[in-house]
Amino acid sequence: MNAADEKTIVKNYFNATGFDRWRRIYGDGDVNKVQLDIRKGHQQTIETVIDWLKADGNLAGLSICDAGCGVGSLSIPLAQMGATVYGSDISEKMVGEAYRRAQEVLGANGSASFTAQDLESLGGRYHTVTCLDVLIHYPEDKMPEMISHLASLAESRLILSFAPKTLALTVLKKIGDFFPGPSKATRAYQHREADVIAILEKNGFSIARDGMTSTSFYYSRLLEAVR
């Protein structure tokens, strides 16, 4: 399967059954135990990034591109704290939900805007670029191109999360592949941390902070890279 086909599958999934599933997970309604575990893990990753940005003391007025913003789980709280946030997602439905939630929280004059775009077509320059829980949809051979493009948008900082490729997690993933279902409509790719760091360094970044979120069903390695 080529990259264009995979991108179409991801887009269609998050505009259909995937949208309903992940909107529930990223909300506060009733979900099953697995979805609740993923919700908690994702929220831990969001909170870590927010803590990092708050700790620097310059969040107000900062320009932030939230690439793959989903329903606005990171974009909206950052805008609440004074940042100017540009959220994007490949799914029109996700962007619509992010806009709806932002209107509820921020009102018509909030400092968050949203657009339906894939990562490849993003442009502009921002102080900080974030891309959380998105690279899991990109195979290893696309990572240098995608991370380099995100790096070209970031003036000072790039924050990424990805599913780490370790022996234990690879075994768990193989076990999970025996049990396909609606949630498995897109492929999930793991990535070696050393490879991600090498790409960042090639683009002029160095690692400032790192973190790891690990629950029963959610594993995410988080890196903050700065120029």
Side-chain angles (χ1 to χ4, degrees), residues 10-115:
V10 170
K11 181 178 181 179
N12 290 342
Y13 172 67
F14 283 105
N15 275 324
T17 57
F19 169 70
D20 293 329
R21 177 177 188 265
W22 289 98
R23 178 179 57 177
R24 291 195 306 273
I25 290 175
Y26 294 153
D28 54 10
D30 293 335
V31 289
N32 63 41
K33 290 182 178 180
V34 173
Q35 292 171 334
L36 180 60
D37 182 85
I38 295 171
R39 175 190 290 174
K40 290 178 178 179
H42 176 74
Q43 188 58 36
Q44 287 178 32
T45 297
I46 295 292
E47 289 172 358
T48 298
V49 173
I50 291 174
D51 287 344
W52 287 354
L53 297 180
K54 285 172 62 179
D56 290 343
N58 63 343
L59 189 52
L62 217 62
S63 64
I64 299 177
C65 173
D66 187 13
C69 65
V71 297
S73 302
L74 178 63
S75 296
I76 294 171
L78 291 181
Q80 282 182 289
M81 288 179 275
T84 301
V85 184
Y86 304 87
S88 68
D89 199 276
I90 195 173
S91 164
E92 293 90 347
K93 280 197 171 184
M94 286 288 191
V95 166
E97 178 67 9
Y99 177 78
R100 184 191 69 78
R101 294 186 183 191
Q103 289 287 97
E104 288 184 353
V105 175
L106 304 171
N109 298 317
S111 58
S113 59
F114 299 95
T115 183

